[in-house]
Amino acid sequence: MSYGEGRVAVVGAGLAGSLMAVYLGRAGYAVDVFEKRPDPRSLGRQEGRSINLAISTRGLAALGRVGLADRVLGEAVQMRGRMMHSSRGKLSFQPYGSKDQAINSVSRGRLNLILIEAAALFPNVTCYFDSAPSDCDIDAGTITIKDEAGGSRTETYDAIIAADGAYSGIRREMLRRFGLSFQQDYLEHGYKELTISPTEDGDHRMFKNALHIWPRGGYMMIALPNFDGSFTCTLFWPLKGLNSFAAITTEAEVEPFFTEHFADAVSLMPTLTADYMSNPTSTLVTIRCWPWHMGKAVLMGDACHAVVPFYGQGANAAFEDCVVLDDCIKECNGDWAEVFKEYVTRRKRHTDTLADLAIGNFIEMRDRVASSSFLIKKKVEKLLLGLVPGFVPLYSMITFSTIPYADALAKSRRQNRIIGWTILSVTVFLAFMFAAAFMRQS
């Protein structure tokens, strides 16, 4: 079978699934997309469970391949750095990189809608909503869907691409077989979404071109700007213990706690108490599994490598999956067994690296970004950018390049070793010169 021939099922019409449907539709495959949720094109904005997305270079590269980058950027707000809010309300700005480097804050719902609309433009792509597969035979390539009348139909595909999220039903089918290793790790922290509303004129109430962070050591709040003038705030708190979601459970406790710990934000959040009490508290999970494919089915996105959101790379990594899978389809001329083998070989180690980096960045954002040692480190990195040819900080490689994650980490470690040895050598040389001068004077 050649590239662009045959039938493909995409299970899940979230970010990864809908973008993959665009790639496959453009290539000429007959694509059926199955999504358990209702069609978002017929719904209003859904609030309460979705952290805003930070789309950076990797995501834009994936969107650019199918002509969607400019459309997404048209509804995004650039964040050029972190705006730190101290417990006393003092502000300090930390640029992410050079003046022309920025991360783009995008509404998850709007981005998903753009991708679904783009996929639906292809006559060879059909999207079925309210349609979770009731059965899947990954060896035969069949998917069974129940209809509204209580009956069902079974369709056969050359490939099944599972982009159905961290609690993937297709992965569950794989787990029933021998040979799939699966690891699911929860943080002791959860998250809850709140809102800073726009002004009456539709403007932002804070500096809009920054990711705002209230680091409090052990817990924090962040706020990402929206195109409509609002900010989506997310609390990252322990689930239990002191200063946790379990500790703040009544309306009477909400505003006093925020006044004590996030004082400069309270006046910007007129619906604070109502949002806190009504919006759900959700968990943060890292998922790893291997292999990512069995029979005619393959996993992508959160279904095989869900990460916590603290490096801003979850959506970017899922979009990069689409790029790699599309490359493999082309290179393997539509031989799906070879496609899946090559795809998982190329991606697995890099997404494992990202999972570790994301957890490490949570600790940095929560505990270190306001510390003097962190600020000194950033100043040193900025100095090295101008002095050391080829030096690029790890954060910049992850966020502002398409260097594979594990390769970026390896390069950063090499840089750190070279810089460490250089500093040690200079220190020893200066000490020797000082000692020699002292001896001459004696």
Side-chain angles (χ1 to χ4, degrees):
M1 183 178 294
S2 63
Y3 178 65
E5 294 181 2
R7 299 186 73 200
V8 181
V10 177
V11 181
L15 299 176
S18 52
L19 182 59
M20 196 65 226
V22 173
Y23 273 79
L24 293 166
R26 185 184 65 160
Y29 289 98
V31 183
D32 287 343
V33 182
F34 299 101
E35 172 56 54
K36 66 181 179 181
R37 298 170 298 174
D39 188 340
R41 292 171 292 183
S42 63
L43 299 174
R45 181 180 174 184
Q46 303 295 299
E47 311 249 19
R49 293 187 65 87
S50 175
I51 300 171
N52 260 38
L53 301 173
I55 302 299
S56 51
T57 299
R58 296 170 197 274
L60 292 175
L63 293 166
R65 273 203 183 192
V66 289
L68 293 174
D70 288 341
R71 184 177 176 190
V72 171
L73 287 174
E75 298 194 20
V77 180
Q78 284 195 340
M79 300 183 295
R80 301 191 186 100
R82 298 163 170 165
M83 184 68 79
M84 312 306 302
H85 295 246
S86 75
S87 57
R88 296 181 180 180
K90 181 181 178 182
L91 301 179
S92 59
F93 183 71
Q94 301 172 3
Y96 282 130
S98 61
K99 292 182 179 180
D100 61 338
Q101 290 179 325
I103 302 170
N104 303 282
S105 175
V106 184
S107 160
R108 177 186 290 271
R110 281 297 305 154
L111 177 56
N112 203 176
L113 189 59
I114 289 170
L115 296 176
I116 289 170
E117 289 173 344
L121 290 175
F122 293 97
N124 49 318
V125 176
T126 305
C127 298
Y128 298 95
F129 294 91
D130 295 305
S131 298
S134 60
D135 188 48
C136 176
D137 186 329
I138 59 178
D139 288 322
T142 60
I143 288 179
T144 301
I145 301 292
K146 293 182 178 179
D147 58 35
E148 294 179 357
S152 63
R153 74 180 192 279
T154 299
E155 302 285 348
T156 302
Y157 299 94
D158 298 293
I160 299 170
I161 298 174
D164 49 346
Y167 303 101
S168 167
I170 303 300
R171 190 186 64 230
R172 188 166 56 247
E173 291 297 319
M174 293 181 176
L175 279 166
R176 292 176 181 175
R177 296 161 170 251
F178 176 78
L180 182 69
S181 298
F182 175 69
Q183 183 178 340
Q184 180 174 274
D185 299 308
Y186 287 93
L187 287 185
E188 295 179 352
H189 291 66
Y191 71 92
K192 184 188 290 284
E193 184 180 283
L194 304 174
T195 301
I196 291 177
S197 59
T199 66
E200 293 182 359
D201 297 329
D203 294 329
H204 293 83
R205 295 180 183 271
M206 302 184 296
F207 178 59
K208 73 175 184 178
N209 296 119
L211 188 158
H212 292 256
I213 306 178
W214 290 258
R216 297 296 181 261
Y219 63 103
M220 68 176 179
M221 181 171 75
I222 68 171
L224 277 74
N226 293 311
F227 195 68
D228 64 1
S230 66
F231 284 84
T232 298
C233 299
T234 309
L235 306 175
F236 294 104
W237 292 1
L239 294 169
K240 299 178 181 179
L242 184 66
N243 300 326
S244 70
F245 288 116
I248 312 298
T249 58
T250 67
E251 290 186 5
E253 294 171 316
V254 176
E255 189 164 329
F257 182 85
F258 275 77
T259 299
E260 180 180 356
H261 297 280
F262 309 106
D264 62 332
V266 174
S267 64
L268 309 177
M269 307 170 77
T271 59
L272 167 61
T273 300
D275 288 347
Y276 183 92
M277 297 304 297
S278 62
N279 289 346
T281 301
S282 303
T283 54
L284 295 162
V285 65
T286 299
I287 286 174
R288 307 173 199 253
C289 66
W290 184 260
W292 290 0
H293 72 100
M294 287 186 176
K296 294 185 177 182
V298 70
L299 306 173
M300 71 182 310
D302 284 356
C304 50
H305 57 74
V307 298
V308 293
F310 304 110
Y311 226 111
Q313 286 294 305
N316 293 288
F319 287 165
E320 200 169 55
D321 283 355
C322 297
V323 171
V324 175
L325 185 54
D326 185 57
D327 285 343
C328 293
I329 294 170
K330 293 174 183 175
E331 293 169 17
C332 299
N333 201 32
D335 182 338
W336 288 104
E338 288 300 312
V339 167
F340 293 164
K341 180 180 177 181
E342 185 66 21
Y343 160 69
V344 300
T345 300
R346 293 185 189 184
R347 285 300 281 165
K348 169 64 174 171
R349 70 187 183 94
H350 298 298
T351 57
D352 281 349
T353 296
L354 175 61
D356 295 334
L357 289 172
I359 293 172
N361 211 46
F362 173 46
I363 298 170
E364 180 173 288
M365 292 174 68
R366 185 191 71 191
D367 299 345
R368 299 174 185 163
V369 288
S371 69
S372 57
S373 60
F374 179 85
L375 296 176
I376 291 171
K377 174 188 172 186
K378 289 299 179 183
K379 289 180 180 179
V380 169
E381 286 183 349
K382 187 175 181 179
L383 178 65
L384 292 173
L385 274 171
L387 295 178
V388 181
F391 174 82
V392 183
L394 175 61
Y395 187 88
S396 294
M397 284 190 279
I398 297 298
T399 306
F400 301 119
S401 85
T402 57
I403 300 171
Y405 295 118
D407 296 347
L409 180 59
K411 180 177 179 180
S412 175
R413 287 173 172 167
R414 289 195 300 271
Q415 288 180 162
N416 291 340
R417 285 195 296 269
I418 292 170
I419 292 166
W421 277 109
T422 301
I423 292 173
L424 178 60
S425 299
V426 170
T427 302
V428 170
F429 175 75
L430 291 175
F432 175 80
M433 295 298 293
F434 177 80
F438 179 78
M439 292 295 292
R440 285 197 298 271
Q441 292 177 357
S442 300

